[in-house]
Amino acid sequence: MRWLGPPGRTRLRLPRQRRSTAATAAGGAAPLLLLQVPILLQIPILLQIPILLQIPVLLQVPILLLPLLVLATAADPAASAAAAPASVNIVAFGNERDGFSEDNQQPSLIWSYLGRSALISQIDSSLSASHVGNPVFTEYQACIFGNVRLVVHDCPVWDILDSDWYTSCRLIGGADIIVIKYSVNDKTSFQELKDSYVPMVKKALNHCSVPVIISAIGARKNGVSCTCPLCTSDRKSCVTTSEGVQLAKELRATYLELHTLDDFYIQKYFGGVLEYFIIQSLNQKSSEKMKKRKKMQKCHRVQPPQLEQPEKMPILKGEASHYNADLHNLLYCCQCADVAFYPEDLSTAVEAHKIILCSVSHLFMLLFRVKSPSDTHDASIVQLAQSLFEVEVGDPFPSSPRGVPPCVPPVRVVVKDSVFCSCLPDILHFIYSGAFQWERLEEDIRKKLKDPDKTEYVLEKVKCILKTPGKLNTIKDCNSHQIKRLYNTSLRLFFNTPVLADVIFKIQGSTVPAHRAVLVARCKVMAAMFNGNYLEANSILVPVYGVSKDTFLSFLEYLYTDSCCPASILQAMSLLICAEMYQVMRLQHICELYIITQLQSMPSRELSSTSLSIVSLLKKAKFHNSDCLSTWLLHFIATNYLIFSQKPEFQELSVEERNFVEMHRWPSNLYLKQLADYRNYIHSQKCHCTVM
């Protein structure tokens, strides 16, 4: 007798030798089953054997222990069934009797189990039919594990799948366990089962994980091994073990071989396997019922209030930099020009600014005596400066630069090279635009000269002018994608230094040197101040009021470099006030963005303990026309209402501001009321006994 199963199923194997029930009762040793238990089974736990996840455990358990293990494993399902009675539906197909059997009155497998199992009680049977003319099946109802209802539909003939497919699908779909029976001595019926009805069963199952037990019943009549032609012919009429195992693999079923339907095979063998799957079905139903109960309890339970998201904060849009455009416009308006380039015949003049030229070229630093020849360390630059330009400082010319105070003498520069002088406006345009549009400069000079040799000559001179001392310039070094912007780094060299300075600010008892050309190009208020009918237009010393020295230095640093890095929120607010005073809007937006970023990154604990007054920042932002920042600060106070409402500064808000904060506060009053009610409900539920 054998019990085999495909991978993933329980497999039992019994020795082939037969033992009568009488011999076993007389004191013979009970046969051993080779029990291969997957990790999902609870048997290894009961035997106190360590469990290794996803590794099957191979046990040798006496067959007489199987009912005890089944009863022990059934303790939990019985307890759950006592609380809520459950039911298990079993559908059995097939006939265990062969067509040539002399004992056609022997009881069926299902009836034998129900009548002999010690766990079954209150058995009732009835004959039923799905429709008139269809094969009749037997319905058994019994109780197992005390009060668990067991419903069995035993269909001895497979024709029901052909005659009434709807009823067959309904039976298989509602089954918890399926039992397929056949006789090992009826090869014809087995072949029909394998070819015709197994595909129909698989289709009805539709990939459902319903356990299937295949029972091969009977002792093969040609059990003695023989090689004569007669026995070989007889052997073909029996169903071999390998054929049964192959069928079980196809259905992912558990395979059993029952030689006889006596107490040993029915109770200890078939009954143990069937009861194991009954227990698994009860456990699964109990788990599903518990999940459903928890879901229902969750639906009927009072839900905590949902905290809505705070309102979105206003978005501040930054302003694009117009640094290069400001300096480029300075070349066309010619404000505060302090140098003029003339040809040798003094016929025309091209005005420029020493601070801009020196910021991009060491040659102009040498030309305007910012550096001495000994500081240059490059003889080629000195030779080029002497061969191209000649600086004359003396009497003013008729077309003297405009906007320069009388105390600052103009500088006249004579360009000795006529070809280079004709291209000087284009070269200055290239320098003032940031010295990174090399392709445009090449095109402009080529159109003007219309001579490749002269064009190459002028371009080589420009490269030498922009040359870094001690380094060789090549054509590829002047490509636009490789030439970096020069102003925002080179003008920093002249920030807060007296070199080429033509104005001095007096602030808090200290002096700060600066350059009118940079101030006029970058700030409209200072452009009007130095070029209008104001006292500062003809004065070198200019007093500054209303701001600190550090704040004004940060303001000048932005004008020179187009960047600023405030050290704190208060310094950023002071710089914002200075930017509003001189109408530099982009700097004002940068300060607003810095303040917002710092406040957003501040944790709630730090925000509640900080000495920084947000209300004071709000009032300063409103006073200095920073509408974006003031609106954002109001939203920030409303979003952190529970923190700011506890601070004394909260009382300094105006009535209009207080109404805005109360309207947009987070969390809202409604949520806080719902939260208090929910806490009271939870507290009242904990005070009562959940059992009683």
Side-chain angles (χ1 to χ4, degrees):
M1 177 181 62
R2 298 176 181 176
W3 178 14
L4 303 174
R9 299 292 188 181
T10 305
R11 177 180 293 180
L12 293 177
R13 184 174 181 177
L14 195 65
R16 292 186 59 86
Q17 61 269 21
R18 299 183 182 179
R19 290 177 182 267
S20 64
T21 308
T24 304
L32 293 178
L33 291 179
L34 189 57
L35 177 60
Q36 184 177 344
V37 185
I39 201 62
L40 298 176
L41 297 185
Q42 299 179 1
I43 295 177
I45 299 176
L46 297 174
L47 295 179
Q48 298 182 354
I49 297 176
I51 297 177
L52 299 177
L53 292 179
Q54 298 181 353
I55 300 178
V57 181
L58 191 63
L59 305 177
Q60 289 187 351
V61 184
I63 190 63
L64 296 178
L65 290 179
L66 189 56
L68 299 179
L69 296 177
V70 172
L71 287 175
T73 314
D76 291 339
S80 61
S87 64
V88 178
N89 295 322
I90 301 176
V91 177
F93 290 103
N95 193 352
E96 54 275 298
R97 306 182 187 92
D98 60 82
F100 304 98
S101 176
E102 298 177 358
D103 187 10
N104 290 329
Q105 302 300 324
Q106 64 176 354
S108 65
L109 174 64
I110 299 299
W111 176 253
S112 299
Y113 166 72
L114 295 177
R116 298 179 184 183
S117 177
L119 304 178
I120 303 296
S121 61
Q122 301 178 7
I123 306 174
D124 185 21
S125 64
S126 61
L127 296 179
S128 304
S130 58
H131 292 289
V132 178
N134 287 341
V136 177
F137 61 86
T138 306
E139 179 179 332
Y140 302 100
Q141 294 191 10
C143 289
I144 188 171
F145 304 135
N147 62 345
V148 177
R149 194 164 67 96
L150 185 65
V151 180
V152 184
H153 292 86
D154 190 3
C155 307
V157 220
W158 285 98
D159 293 344
I160 189 174
L161 294 176
D162 293 327
S163 59
D164 196 344
W165 174 248
Y166 173 77
T167 302
S168 304
C169 288
R170 182 174 56 84
L171 287 176
I172 296 176
D176 299 314
I177 303 171
I178 295 177
V179 179
I180 296 178
K181 307 167 292 178
Y182 67 88
S183 173
V184 296
N185 294 306
D186 194 349
K187 185 67 173 288
T188 305
S189 299
F190 176 81
Q191 197 64 37
E192 185 181 5
L193 161 66
K194 181 179 179 182
D195 297 339
S196 303
Y197 299 116
V198 167
M200 300 175 71
V201 172
K202 292 173 63 176
K203 180 180 178 181
L205 285 175
N206 195 19
H207 305 289
C208 296
S209 58
V210 178
V212 180
I213 302 174
I214 295 180
S215 300
I217 302 171
R220 293 177 180 84
K221 295 180 179 180
N222 52 347
V224 180
S225 178
C226 183
T227 58
C228 66
L230 180 60
C231 291
T232 305
S233 177
D234 290 340
R235 193 177 295 113
K236 292 182 180 179
S237 64
C238 298
V239 182
T240 62
T241 301
S242 59
E243 291 176 328
V245 171
Q246 186 62 32
L247 179 64
K249 288 181 178 180
E250 187 176 350
L251 288 174
R252 299 185 60 84
T254 300
Y255 178 71
L256 301 177
E257 282 192 0
L258 307 178
H259 292 178
T260 60
L261 298 182
D262 56 11
D263 290 342
F264 176 78
Y265 288 102
I266 293 297
Q267 296 185 35
K268 305 299 192 301
Y269 196 27
F270 175 77
V273 177
L274 184 62
E275 288 160 8
Y276 166 75
F277 286 123
I278 291 175
I279 293 168
Q280 294 296 96
S281 176
L282 290 175
N283 286 336
Q284 183 178 359
K285 289 186 176 183
S286 177
S287 176
E288 292 176 355
K289 188 174 182 180
M290 186 63 66
K291 291 180 181 179
K292 185 176 180 181
R293 183 182 303 171
K294 288 182 179 179
K295 187 176 181 180
M296 294 297 294
Q297 289 177 354
K298 186 177 180 180
C299 294
H300 291 88
R301 189 187 308 155
V302 176
Q303 299 296 323
Q306 297 296 324
L307 181 61
E308 70 279 2
Q309 293 294 326
E311 292 187 10
K312 291 184 178 181
M313 305 294 284
I315 299 176
L316 270 70
K317 295 182 179 180
E319 183 179 347
S321 174
H322 39 78
Y323 185 82
N324 291 329
D326 291 342
L327 296 180
H328 188 263
N329 293 333
L330 182 65
L331 177 64
Y332 287 100
C333 66
C334 294
Q335 295 179 354
C336 302
D338 54 1
V339 61
F341 292 93
Y342 291 90
E344 290 183 326
D345 58 359
L346 305 179
S347 58
T348 58
V350 178
E351 297 178 338
H353 307 82
K354 291 188 288 185
I355 180 66
I356 304 299
L357 299 177
C358 292
S359 66
V360 299
S361 173
H362 289 270
L363 184 145
F364 287 114
M365 289 186 183
L366 181 64
L367 192 65
F368 299 126
R369 299 179 182 179
V370 174
K371 286 186 177 182
S372 62
S374 59
D375 297 332
T376 305
H377 303 293
D378 195 331
S380 62
I381 295 179
V382 178
Q383 293 176 1
L384 181 63
Q386 294 175 354
S387 62
L388 277 182
F389 305 105
E390 181 181 354
V391 180
E392 296 183 5
V393 180
D395 298 332
F397 291 87
S399 58
S400 61
R402 300 180 297 275
V404 178
C407 57
V408 180
V411 175
R412 183 176 69 175
V413 179
V414 178
V415 182
K416 299 179 181 180
D417 193 323
S418 59
V419 177
F420 184 85
C421 185
S422 63
C423 299
L424 186 61
D426 298 316
I427 297 173
L428 291 178
H429 172 80
F430 167 73
I431 293 176
Y432 273 74
S433 61
F436 63 91
Q437 297 180 354
W438 180 258
E439 288 83 357
R440 183 176 178 180
L441 176 63
E442 285 183 324
E443 184 180 356
D444 292 342
I445 295 178
R446 188 178 297 109
K447 289 181 179 180
K448 178 172 291 188
L449 298 179
K450 298 179 180 180
D451 187 339
D453 295 335
K454 291 182 179 180
T455 301
E456 186 65 25
Y457 170 77
V458 173
L459 292 177
E460 287 297 330
K461 297 295 182 183
V462 175
K463 293 175 187 178
C464 293
I465 291 175
L466 300 177
K467 176 182 176 181
T468 302
K471 294 184 180 181
L472 295 176
N473 282 357
T474 59
I475 297 177
K476 65 178 183 179
D477 294 331
C478 295
N479 291 336
S480 61
H481 65 278
Q482 293 182 349
I483 295 180
K484 299 180 180 179
R485 296 182 182 181
L486 303 177
Y487 292 136
N488 53 358
T489 57
S490 55
L491 278 180
R492 186 185 294 271
L493 300 175
F494 298 93
F495 166 66
N496 197 20
T497 61
V499 179
L500 299 179
D502 52 6
V503 63
I504 298 176
F505 292 100
K506 185 176 182 181
I507 179 171
Q508 291 184 340
S510 302
T511 57
V512 178
H515 306 81
R516 292 174 183 264
V518 178
L519 303 179
V520 168
R522 299 282 287 144
C523 179
K524 295 181 179 180
V525 173
M526 288 191 175
M529 182 174 65
F530 288 124
N531 292 282
N533 297 322
Y534 297 99
L535 182 63
E536 293 84 356
N538 297 311
S539 175
I540 294 181
L541 191 63
V542 177
V544 177
Y545 305 100
V547 294
S548 65
K549 178 184 176 181
D550 293 337
T551 302
F552 192 73
L553 282 175
S554 298
F555 173 73
L556 291 181
E557 182 182 9
Y558 169 78
L559 297 183
Y560 276 75
T561 64
D562 200 41
S563 63
C564 69
C565 299
S568 63
I569 294 179
L570 292 179
Q571 184 180 358
M573 178 56 72
S574 300
L575 188 56
L576 184 147
I577 295 173
C578 182
E580 191 269 339
M581 182 187 306
Y582 289 99
Q583 294 297 302
V584 183
M585 303 305 297
R586 184 170 182 270
L587 177 59
Q588 189 173 351
H589 292 159
I590 292 176
C591 295
E592 291 174 348
L593 187 60
Y594 176 85
I595 294 172
I596 289 174
T597 304
Q598 293 298 313
L599 290 178
Q600 281 182 330
S601 62
M602 193 176 295
S604 299
R605 181 177 299 179
E606 182 181 354
L607 191 62
S608 59
S609 60
T610 183
S611 59
L612 179 66
S613 176
I614 306 300
V615 177
S616 176
L617 293 179
L618 172 64
K619 293 186 177 299
K620 289 181 180 179
K622 279 193 170 184
F623 183 79
H624 293 281
N625 303 316
S626 182
D627 297 333
C628 295
L629 180 60
S630 60
T631 303
W632 189 91
L633 289 174
L634 275 176
H635 278 275
F636 184 71
I637 295 174
T639 304
N640 298 273
Y641 182 86
L642 297 180
I643 295 178
F644 289 107
S645 61
Q646 305 299 323
K647 291 190 173 186
E649 64 185 74
F650 188 76
Q651 307 301 325
E652 299 177 9
L653 292 173
S654 63
V655 177
E656 181 182 357
E657 295 168 346
R658 183 79 64 85
N659 292 336
F660 179 89
V661 170
E662 292 291 343
M663 181 181 300
H664 299 84
R665 59 172 292 181
W666 186 85
S668 62
N669 275 324
L670 178 61
Y671 171 79
L672 294 178
K673 182 179 181 303
Q674 292 175 348
L675 182 62
D677 295 341
Y678 177 75
R679 287 176 175 174
N680 293 334
Y681 168 76
I682 295 298
H683 181 71
S684 64
Q685 293 297 315
K686 290 182 179 180
C687 294
H688 293 82
C689 178
T690 57
V691 178
M692 300 301 293

